[in-house]
Amino acid sequence: MRVALFITCVNDTLFPGTGKAVVSLLRRLGCEVDFPAAQTCCGQMHVNTGYRAEGVRLARHFTEVFAGYDAVVAPSGSCAAMVREQYPKLARPGSKGAAAIAKVAPRVYELSEFLIDVLKVEDVGAYFPHRVTYHPTCHSLRGLRLGDRPARLLRNVRGLELVPLPGAEECCGFGGTFAVKNPAVSAAMGADKTRNIMDTGAEVLCAADNSCLMHIGGTLSRQKTGVRTMHLAEILASTEESQ
């Protein structure tokens, strides 16, 4: 299977280790992984703040860059949801752009979707001997409806103890530009999430979006909790040799 990695802006800029983990994991599972260097932002922040024309341009570019792949895998529920849910609404019905989106968008997957729904694997051969709790980010939970896919993968990681997170379905307060426009509310929501994380006794907080982990991780760090944040891909890519 010929797979393209859609790294996303946040990961490319701030969390390159997550992209490396995705490539390592998929290659371990027998996939041929490409990284199209011409890829850019998916346009989510543009569309969400009213710049529809810019979003249309970026959607057109995305379909050109990722055409021809069997699957496009993103370590981000947020950006995968943008392509699958918002792109079809941007294109004019019956246009060439709409046809291109209809061809590419259904082949865009968040990592856990791809592993379970496409590769049909729940045990990826990972080893991570730590107590972990999982935060289901809003786009993963409400947009893509990932359900228990990430948890099923984590439960099959040798040595990992998965503990439930109280109030797991509550937003962490990041929300992209929401955190900038409403900093006090965002910080209060982050504080609530942090208290719930601390109640689990977990060593590591895991999620499928580094943007949310960045927000929560900032609060965890400022409070000197000692809890690490790790993307799902990094845990699934871990082996005994890497510990």
Side-chain angles (χ1 to χ4, degrees):
M1 179 172 287
R2 188 165 177 254
V3 178
L5 170 63
F6 170 38
I7 187 61
T8 79
C9 298
V10 168
N11 289 314
D12 184 49
T13 306
L14 300 173
F15 302 98
T18 295
K20 294 177 181 179
V22 173
V23 173
S24 175
L25 174 62
L26 295 182
R27 286 178 175 167
R28 191 168 79 209
L29 295 173
C31 296
E32 177 189 340
V33 185
D34 287 346
F35 180 77
Q39 62 181 280
T40 60
C41 175
C42 66
Q44 179 179 179
M45 60 182 177
H46 305 78
V47 173
N48 287 351
T49 48
Y51 292 89
R52 182 182 174 88
E54 187 68 11
V56 170
R57 186 186 69 79
L58 289 168
R60 184 185 305 119
H61 181 72
F62 184 97
T63 58
E64 292 171 354
V65 169
F66 290 103
Y69 288 97
D70 298 312
V72 179
V73 178
S76 167
S78 177
C79 296
M82 172 63 188
V83 175
R84 293 229 303 266
E85 295 186 346
Q86 298 301 320
Y87 276 14
K89 300 174 184 178
L90 292 175
R92 188 175 68 256
S95 65
K96 289 176 63 178
I101 289 170
K103 187 175 181 180
V104 174
R107 298 203 299 268
V108 176
Y109 300 91
E110 182 275 333
L111 178 63
S112 69
E113 283 184 308
F114 181 71
L115 295 174
I116 290 181
D117 297 349
V118 180
L119 296 187
K120 308 296 184 184
V121 60
E122 294 189 17
D123 187 342
V124 300
Y127 174 76
F128 191 74
H130 299 282
R131 185 178 175 92
V132 177
T133 194
Y134 178 77
H135 166 61
T137 62
C138 290
H139 280 98
S140 297
L141 183 70
R142 299 170 179 86
L144 296 179
R145 294 177 175 83
L146 294 184
D148 67 345
R149 290 178 181 86
R152 284 154 63 186
L153 291 162
L154 289 170
R155 289 191 191 105
N156 279 288
V157 174
R158 287 185 302 114
L160 187 149
E161 179 188 359
L162 183 63
V163 292
L165 176 63
E169 297 188 359
E170 296 174 7
C171 177
C172 72
F174 179 64
T177 56
F178 175 85
V180 177
K181 296 175 181 177
N182 304 278
V185 177
S186 174
M189 294 171 73
D192 288 343
K193 181 65 65 174
T194 299
R195 279 193 297 272
N196 288 338
I197 293 166
M198 294 305 297
D199 286 343
T200 69
E203 302 168 68
V204 176
L205 171 69
C206 173
D209 279 275
N210 271 324
S211 52
C212 297
L213 286 176
M214 177 176 65
H215 177 65
I216 303 170
T219 303
L220 289 169
S221 176
R222 285 191 296 274
Q223 294 183 3
K224 296 180 171 53
T225 63
V227 179
R228 289 187 290 157
T229 58
M230 287 185 70
H231 192 280
L232 176 66
E234 295 174 82
I235 292 178
L236 296 180
S238 297
T239 62
E240 288 190 61
E241 291 73 22
S242 65
Q243 293 298 311

